[in-house]
């Protein structure tokens, strides 16, 4: 029996799909008034906007995907699974506490920062050592994924501070953060059966 349920392929694979489709459809509903390079994804989920329900639903779906993946990803270290689950809860909280239609929100901003941090940290926290460990859960790839996500988050904050292109930076880093769990799951399924037996239970 495989250590990772097959349905985790669906939950992890759907995460980037619902996120990207969500912001693409939401942006089209907003029309030319919305600038995807200069404006953040959260703007699409502001109450009262034409794209509110679409982007909110995408955040909820993303959060559920991360929670299910964290639950089923048994080969990962517990701390990493907990961080991925926290990222899922952050996505749900972002949907519950959206940015206002005008001005900023300390609550929303704080939740978004927490989400960025835990999703950047989960790869390195999930890492394990050993020859039978899936390649994406080994220390070097995990550290590399965390480093890339951390640099992406720093890029986003810099663009936000300089009023440059925070929307483009945010889309880049959130895409990486949503794709990495799927890469980890695929690496688990690429193990030979003998290695899977080590992670049963």
């Amino acid at each position: 029996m495989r250590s990772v349920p097959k349905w985790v392929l669906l939950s992890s694979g759907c995460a980037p799909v619902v996120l990207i489709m969500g912001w693409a459809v939401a942006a089209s509903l907003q029309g030319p008034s919305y600038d995807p390079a200069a404006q953040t994804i959260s703007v699409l989920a502001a109450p009262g906007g034409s794209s509110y329900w679409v982007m909110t639903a995408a955040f909820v779906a993303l959060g559920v995907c991360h929670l299910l993946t964290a639950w089923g990803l048994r080969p990962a270290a517990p701390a990493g699974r907990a961080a991925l689950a926290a990222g899922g809860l952050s996505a749900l909280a972002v949907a519950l506490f959206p940015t206002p239609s005008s001005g900023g929100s300390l609550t929303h901003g704080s939740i978004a920062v927490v989400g960025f941090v835990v999703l950047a940290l989960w790869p390195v926290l999930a890492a394990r050592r050993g020859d039978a460990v899936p390649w994406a859960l080994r220390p070097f790839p995990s550290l590399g994924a965390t480093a890339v996500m951390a640099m992406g988050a720093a890029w986003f904050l810099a663009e936000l501070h300089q009023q440059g292109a925070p929307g483009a930076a945010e889309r880049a880093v959130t895409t990486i953060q949503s794709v990495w769990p799927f890469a980890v799951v695929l690496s688990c399924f690429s193990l030979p059966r003998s290695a899977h037996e080590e992670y049963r239970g």
Side-chain angles (χ1 to χ4, degrees):
M1 183 178 69
R2 293 183 185 275
S3 62
V4 180
K6 290 183 178 179
W7 55 260
V8 182
L9 280 169
L10 180 63
S11 65
S12 60
C14 282
V17 174
V18 297
L19 177 64
I20 295 171
M21 286 189 63
W23 78 48
V25 173
S28 68
L29 290 175
Q30 285 281 54
S33 62
Y34 178 76
D35 184 349
Q39 293 177 282
T40 65
I41 301 168
S42 296
V43 172
L44 296 170
S50 57
S51 59
Y52 168 67
W53 286 109
V54 173
M55 200 63 237
T56 298
F59 282 141
V60 171
L62 177 67
V64 172
C65 285
H66 283 335
L67 286 169
L68 289 174
T69 301
W71 180 26
L73 196 56
R74 292 189 291 244
R81 295 173 68 187
L84 179 57
L89 292 175
S90 296
L92 296 177
V94 163
L96 288 174
F97 299 96
T99 187
S101 55
S102 61
S105 168
L106 180 60
T107 300
H108 177 86
S110 300
I111 293 170
V113 169
V114 170
F116 271 120
V117 170
V118 294
L119 288 175
L121 287 176
W122 95 265
V124 73
L125 293 176
R128 291 184 180 273
R129 295 182 181 276
D131 294 336
V133 174
W135 70 265
L137 287 173
R138 294 176 184 176
F140 185 74
S142 299
L143 182 59
T146 289
V148 169
M149 293 177 197
M151 288 187 292
W155 174 34
F156 167 66
L157 291 175
E159 293 289 344
L160 196 63
H161 179 71
Q162 298 170 3
Q163 297 184 340
E170 184 185 29
R171 281 165 174 74
V173 67
T174 53
T175 297
I176 295 170
Q177 289 182 333
S178 65
V179 167
W180 184 249
F182 184 54
V184 173
V185 172
L186 286 178
S187 75
C188 292
F189 278 90
S190 68
L191 286 176
R193 182 173 295 274
S194 59
H196 278 296
E197 292 297 320
E198 184 175 333
Y199 292 104
R200 289 184 62 178

